[in-house]
Amino acid sequence: MTERRSTWQKAAVKDALTKADVFISAQDLHKHLSGENQKVGLTTVYRALAELADTGEADSLTTADGEMRYRVCHSPQHHHHLSCRNCGKAVEVKFAATEGWAERLASEHGFSDVTHSIEIFGVCAACAEN
Amino acid sequence: MTERRSTWQKAAVKDALTKADVFISAQDLHKHLSGENQKVGLTTVYRALAELADTGEADSLTTADGEMRYRVCHSPQHHHHLSCRNCGKAVEVKFAATEGWAERLASEHGFSDVTHSIEIFGVCAACAEN
DNA sequence: TTAGGTGCAAAACCTTTGCACACAG
DNA sequence: CTGTGTGCAAAGGTTTTGCACCTAA
């Protein structure tokens, strides 16, 4: 079976992700770790983030330029994000009205196995000041 | 000034994109063109697609695996897509209810310069049969 | 004529994989 | 012990850039 082991590397990645508390890329998170004597390999960061996203402990999104970013998930419920394009700060948003809508609309058009992605990007107040 | 010239290459790209009428990647579109004696460089396809997206003649989206896909825009109005994850076929969807919502929500949280992306992916009826 | 366009090769990036070694359980 | 995890280097993909040549206007 696929047994799941806990290592200090995974803990370090999760910890760094939690402290960052913004949508951040694997590359950037790796730099953060490197800057703190946390010598974790980039490959491991990628694998750890994938695992966190897989278990629902982290949310992930793909930016317009094709980069994946992760952030610790604050609630187990389905939600979307309003995130800062500059610093990655994000607010979790629930939007009940659309949840059923997407599936309904899709089936009306004969589509199955539906998933939807709603992302809102902007510049947060703090970043706007600069 | 930035004058904009029309070339047969750009026309070929736009034509191929129009005929495809699905969300397609630059790479794939380039293959289509190559298969039809339309020897257009890959670089040019990228540049032509970027220009079409820029002028609003094409819609673009980034797939989960970080690949950009384009499709001819069928209506100048703001809209979203319900697209097939397999063949790229897409239906344009207008969802008036969300249009104001995103901006309103964003400003409530102090975000400015807001943009939103709503993409719905599924498997169309035709692809589901296989 | 002349500034924008083209296309090849090379570079830049992000992400994944192969593999030998380390280590959690 | 044993199989998962790690990390380096290399590979894989997409997209961009440098540059010399081409061409629309």
Side-chain angles (χ1 to χ4, degrees):
Chain A
M1 286 278 68
T2 305
E3 152 195 0
R4 192 142 276 178
R5 299 183 182 175
S6 48
T7 62
W8 68 264
Q9 286 96 332
K10 289 183 184 177
V13 169
K14 183 174 181 179
D15 188 57
L17 190 68
T18 302
K19 280 179 184 158
D21 196 40
V22 296
F23 272 98
I24 188 172
S25 68
Q27 302 274 353
D28 285 346
L29 196 60
H30 178 247
K31 284 172 197 156
H32 280 210
L33 287 164
S34 300
E36 297 179 20
N37 283 30
Q38 305 276 59
K39 288 168 289 182
V40 178
L42 177 58
T43 307
T44 300
V45 174
Y46 273 102
R47 289 192 276 232
L49 287 174
E51 185 177 320
L52 289 171
D54 203 52
T55 60
E57 293 172 270
D59 293 322
S60 66
L61 61 80
T62 304
T63 59
D65 54 305
E67 187 185 59
M68 295 251 285
R69 292 197 193 170
Y70 301 82
R71 193 188 74 154
V72 286
C73 181
H74 291 192
S75 94
Q77 301 158 47
H78 180 72
H79 57 264
H80 298 290
H81 300 93
L82 160 60
S83 43
C84 179
R85 168 162 42 235
N86 184 243
C87 70
K89 185 166 74 184
V91 178
E92 295 195 349
V93 177
K94 276 188 295 186
F95 193 40
T98 46
E99 296 319 317
W101 167 71
E103 280 68 20
R104 203 174 317 122
L105 179 79
S107 59
E108 278 173 15
H109 286 278
F111 282 63
S112 54
D113 190 17
V114 183
T115 61
H116 64 271
S117 125
I118 300 180
E119 297 297 340
I120 308 177
F121 291 98
V123 177
C124 73
C127 288
E129 289 179 9
N130 312 323
Chain B
M1 286 278 69
T2 305
E3 150 194 2
R4 192 141 275 180
R5 299 182 184 176
S6 46
T7 62
W8 67 265
Q9 286 97 331
K10 288 182 185 177
V13 169
K14 184 174 181 178
D15 189 56
L17 190 68
T18 302
K19 281 180 184 158
D21 196 39
V22 296
F23 271 98
I24 189 172
S25 67
Q27 302 275 354
D28 285 347
L29 196 61
H30 178 247
K31 285 173 198 156
H32 281 211
L33 287 164
S34 300
E36 299 179 20
N37 284 30
Q38 305 276 57
K39 290 167 290 184
V40 179
L42 177 59
T43 307
T44 300
V45 174
Y46 273 103
R47 289 192 275 231
L49 287 174
E51 186 177 319
L52 289 171
D54 204 52
T55 61
E57 293 172 90
D59 293 322
S60 66
L61 60 80
T62 304
T63 60
D65 54 304
E67 188 186 57
M68 295 252 284
R69 292 197 194 171
Y70 301 82
R71 194 187 73 152
V72 287
C73 182
H74 291 192
S75 93
Q77 301 157 46
H78 180 71
H79 58 263
H80 298 290
H81 300 95
L82 160 60
S83 43
C84 179
R85 165 163 44 233
N86 184 242
C87 70
K89 186 167 74 186
V91 179
E92 293 195 349
V93 176
K94 276 188 296 186
F95 194 41
T98 44
E99 295 320 316
W101 167 71
E103 281 68 20
R104 203 175 318 122
L105 179 79
S107 59
E108 278 173 15
H109 287 278
F111 283 63
S112 53
D113 190 16
V114 182
T115 61
H116 64 271
S117 123
I118 300 181
E119 297 297 340
I120 307 177
F121 291 98
V123 178
C124 73
C127 288
E129 288 179 10
N130 311 323

